[in-house]
Amino acid sequence: MAAKSTPEQPLPIRSVLQMVAQWIGRLGMVWAEGQITELSVRGGTVYLTLRDPVANVSARVMCPRNVYEAAVPRPADGARVVLHLKPDFYVNRGSFAFTALEIRPVGIGELLARLERLRQVLAAEGLFNADRKRRLPFLPGTIGLICGRESAAERDVLENARRRWPAVRFTVEEVAVQGPYAVGEVTEALRKLDADPRVDVIIIARGGGSLEDLLPFSDEALVRAVAACRTPVVSAIGHEQDSPLLDLVADVRASTPTDAAKKVVPDVGEQLALIRQLRDRGRRVITGWLDRETAWLAAVRSRPSLADPVREIERRAEQVDALRDRARRCLAASLDRAEDSLGHLRARLVALSPAATLERGYAIVQRPSGGVVRLAADVKPGEELSVRFSDDRVRVITVTDPPS
């Protein structure tokens, strides 16, 4: 909506700049691709211009030095990059610039774009909806584990799960977790474990890695295979900051393989402690309930209604008699007040009645239409009038008064 202003009532420039800053702030953070030019380092800030290689447009970008140095490889003039930008408008100077929060090579940007498009397509189909996700069993009989061959992820899941519940059983499928064969092997292992009636839950685990290393777990075929599983699936890919599409379609996301073991297998020590707590709590509840019921029974037995029932009946009878006498007195008083009020009202009606006025010797002059004549000046000579008395009325004809 445009700001209201006229030549006679212009807005102060500070207000205009503040509105511009608010409008720009609503854009939020955005990923943008371009070519770096005019790169310079000044203290803890890197200044650069992000140029569009197709159109002749560019934008100023300020980047904290630690963000710039974290990029691998470190970008230079002429490099094409993908930046995570936050738009900033500086009101005091009236200038606009972007702040870079992350720098990635353009190859990573292309991968992210493809993954984002795939994520939107799968989300539109409802594969990520929360209502289709299944709850994990409290204590699975057999856990299916899909992981790399002799990997640290396999070791973390097995050791932590058995430490929490020593009797837990696993069916392990070792597959390639990166490279061209990873999707096919993981998908085949998933279908095999899903078809095994002994497997109650499936964990797909892999350690951390680069975006390219984790790409198999964002493959559309694997994501759709997980969505079609009848067995609950737990995703334990990479570290907390990693988020392949498998995390979105799985029934439960674990931040690490160790976290997956904790989510799937209950801790036997915690469960025993919980049982003890519940048993003690149940004992306290039952003991407290029995004590309260015993006290209540003793109180009931000591009540006068049980100790001397006849006395209670007599007391109630006395209350009934007292209430009956009170009701009679109230009713008689109400009737007396109503009779007095009726007498006063009758006397007022008689005093204000027009008939009573007529009985005192007054008369009412009316026209044939029924209208009352209030002034002598309103009467015309020869006009027919009606004079009403208390017992009857007389019709008269007016005449002109002789001059005095």
Side-chain angles (χ1 to χ4, degrees), residues 102-395:
E102 186 176 351
I103 302 177
R104 297 187 182 182
V106 70
I108 301 298
E110 293 173 350
L111 292 176
L112 289 173
R114 289 199 298 269
L115 292 179
E116 178 61 21
R117 287 193 294 270
L118 178 59
R119 187 195 67 79
Q120 293 176 358
V121 171
L122 297 177
E125 296 180 13
L127 268 64
F128 304 153
N129 291 349
D131 54 4
R132 59 163 296 278
K133 296 183 182 296
R134 292 151 294 189
R135 296 181 59 183
L136 300 182
F138 168 70
L139 181 59
T142 301
I143 301 173
L145 175 60
I146 301 175
C147 58
R149 296 175 177 87
E150 299 180 355
S151 62
E154 176 184 1
R155 186 169 55 255
D156 290 344
V157 173
L158 295 179
E159 290 180 357
N160 284 277
R162 287 168 180 161
R163 187 181 300 118
R164 293 171 64 84
W165 198 279
V168 67
R169 295 187 299 272
F170 277 90
T171 297
V172 181
E173 293 290 334
E174 295 184 342
V175 297
V177 291
Q178 70 182 62
Y181 303 104
V183 174
E185 293 187 12
V186 173
T187 304
E188 181 59 29
L190 181 67
R191 290 172 180 169
K192 180 180 178 181
L193 293 175
D194 188 41
D196 190 342
R198 299 172 301 171
V199 175
D200 297 323
V201 63
I202 301 172
I203 299 176
I204 303 177
R206 187 203 189 282
S210 64
L211 178 62
E212 293 86 347
D213 294 338
L214 300 181
L215 275 180
F217 299 97
S218 294
D219 186 83
E220 182 177 1
L222 178 58
V223 171
R224 293 187 181 277
V226 171
C229 277
R230 295 171 298 175
T231 308
V233 177
V234 177
S235 173
I237 306 301
H239 303 297
E240 180 67 33
Q241 67 273 14
D242 298 320
S243 57
L245 297 183
L246 180 63
D247 287 348
L248 302 177
V249 74
D251 298 289
V252 174
R253 177 189 182 270
S255 57
T256 60
T258 301
D259 184 48
K262 294 180 180 179
K263 290 181 180 295
V264 173
V265 181
D267 186 272
V268 63
E270 294 177 357
Q271 298 304 315
L272 290 175
L274 178 61
I275 292 173
R276 286 193 297 270
Q277 293 174 5
L278 293 176
R279 183 175 57 196
D280 295 341
R281 181 181 176 185
R283 183 182 295 109
R284 290 193 301 270
V285 170
I286 294 176
T287 302
W289 178 79
L290 289 175
D291 293 341
R292 288 193 301 272
E293 294 299 317
T294 302
W296 174 83
L297 182 59
V300 169
R301 293 176 60 187
S302 64
R303 289 178 181 175
S305 58
L306 293 180
D308 189 2
V310 177
R311 180 68 189 93
E312 184 66 18
I313 294 174
E314 293 174 350
R315 189 175 66 84
R316 294 294 182 181
E318 293 174 356
Q319 292 179 353
V320 171
D321 293 339
L323 291 174
R324 180 182 59 192
D325 296 341
R326 181 181 176 185
R328 287 175 177 174
R329 292 193 299 271
C330 291
L331 181 59
S334 298
L335 291 176
D336 292 342
R337 288 193 298 271
E339 184 178 1
D340 293 343
S341 177
L342 185 60
H344 293 317
L345 182 61
R346 185 185 297 111
R348 291 177 61 188
L349 289 176
V350 170
L352 298 175
S353 173
T357 303
L358 295 176
E359 289 178 357
R360 292 197 298 270
Y362 292 92
I364 301 174
V365 180
Q366 295 177 301
R367 290 188 172 87
S369 62
V372 177
V373 178
R374 301 181 184 278
L375 300 174
D378 295 339
V379 180
K380 300 177 181 179
E383 184 178 359
E384 181 178 345
L385 299 174
S386 173
V387 180
R388 180 180 175 182
F389 298 95
S390 62
D391 57 345
D392 202 354
R393 64 176 66 221
V394 175
R395 301 180 65 184

